Amino acid sequence: MAKLNVCLKRIFIFFNLFFAVVGGLILGLGLVGRLFYQRNTAEWENQTSGFTVMFVVGGVTIAISLVGAYGAQREKRIPLIVFLTACFVACFGLLRLAVPAAIYHPMLENDMEGMFRAKLPLNKAPPGVQEVAESIQQTLKCCGLFSYTDWGHDIPNSCLCQDSEDEIEGKCQYVQYQSMLLSFTDPQKLIYKQTCFPVLKFYLSKAMDIFLGVFFGLAALALLGAVISAVLLAQLMKSTVGVPVVFSVSSLPAKRNIWSQPPKYTELYNEPEK
């Protein structure tokens, strides 16, 4: 059997087992998501393609990882070649997604701002847009996308600062507004001082950073796996090169014709293991 570097071999096997576990987690998340969304028929139909991608990615990751671990453990060339090819394909695919995203990242904030400004004023936006805006305001404790005036004179209850601790911490402010019912008065509302767009922009930037970090990190790991598998293949092929074994032939009887003598040696080669 071929001899590989024991330390490198163990690192490679651990590397593959780790990715097999990652593939199992992806499959588990896909299964949990499927069971969660399957309760609602409409949502389930919209999420089918996403779960299919998770199942495929998880299954392929497990399969390739096990092939690589088997090839290293049994010191087989073909499984290592399959793993090497899969790593190069995965690295290229990840970079194909991550590089354009990194280039587009600086322009994303401007596009996002333009998309939100197109929805103003919020008090005249479609009901679906207003529901989403109010949900964001309740969750992030903010009012309006760029200003509370985005709601015109119809500031919703989701803008109201109802927590006394937030008021003490200076997160709230009083604003004047006109009321259609109380046209002779000038009432005030205590609303959140923070607007929503800066918070959304911050979380979007963090999400993009995480996305790019994960994709570039996985691409680097795939490249590392390819390099290690290439080194193991080089060691494997070097140790299985045919080595000539020379056997000497004993001297022949004196009476035989010298021209009929067999060769004085025979070369035998060890066949490379596949």
Side-chain angles (χ1 to χ4, degrees), residues 249-250 252 256-265:
V249 181
S250 60
L252 298 174
R256 291 191 61 178
N257 188 345
I258 188 172
W259 300 107
S260 64
Q261 291 181 2
K264 295 183 178 181
Y265 63 88

Side-chain angles (χ1 to χ4, degrees), residues 158-206:
S158 58
C159 280
L160 299 182
C161 187
Q162 301 176 352
D163 193 341
S164 58
E165 293 184 1
D166 292 336
E167 185 177 1
I168 295 174
E169 294 176 0
K171 298 180 180 180
C172 307
Q173 64 177 347
Y174 283 98
V175 296
Q176 308 289 337
Y177 76 101
Q178 296 178 359
S179 175
M180 299 299 296
L181 298 177
L182 303 174
S183 57
F184 298 103
T185 63
D186 190 21
Q188 290 183 336
K189 279 190 175 182
L190 182 63
I191 65 171
Y192 287 107
K193 184 185 301 182
Q194 176 67 55
T195 55
C196 296
F197 179 74
V199 182
L200 291 174
K201 183 173 68 174
F202 171 79
Y203 284 118
L204 178 64
S205 179
K206 289 297 181 183

Side-chain angles (χ1 to χ4, degrees), residues 59 64 66 77-78 81 86 145 152 156 159 168 175 182 192 222 241 248 254:
I64 296 300
L66 293 180
R77 288 187 300 170
I78 294 179
I81 292 173
L145 293 173
C159 280
I168 295 174
V175 296
L182 303 174
Y192 287 107
V241 173
S248 62

Side-chain angles (χ1 to χ4, degrees), residues 43-85:
E43 291 183 358
W44 166 244
E45 292 176 354
N46 294 332
Q47 297 293 332
T48 300
S49 59
F51 292 132
T52 302
V53 171
M54 293 182 69
F55 292 147
V56 172
V57 171
V60 171
T61 302
I62 293 175
I64 296 300
S65 299
L66 293 180
V67 168
Y70 171 79
Q73 178 64 31
R74 301 300 299 272
E75 301 184 0
K76 301 290 186 180
R77 288 187 300 170
I78 294 179
L80 289 176
I81 292 173
V82 172
F83 180 84
L84 175 63
T85 304

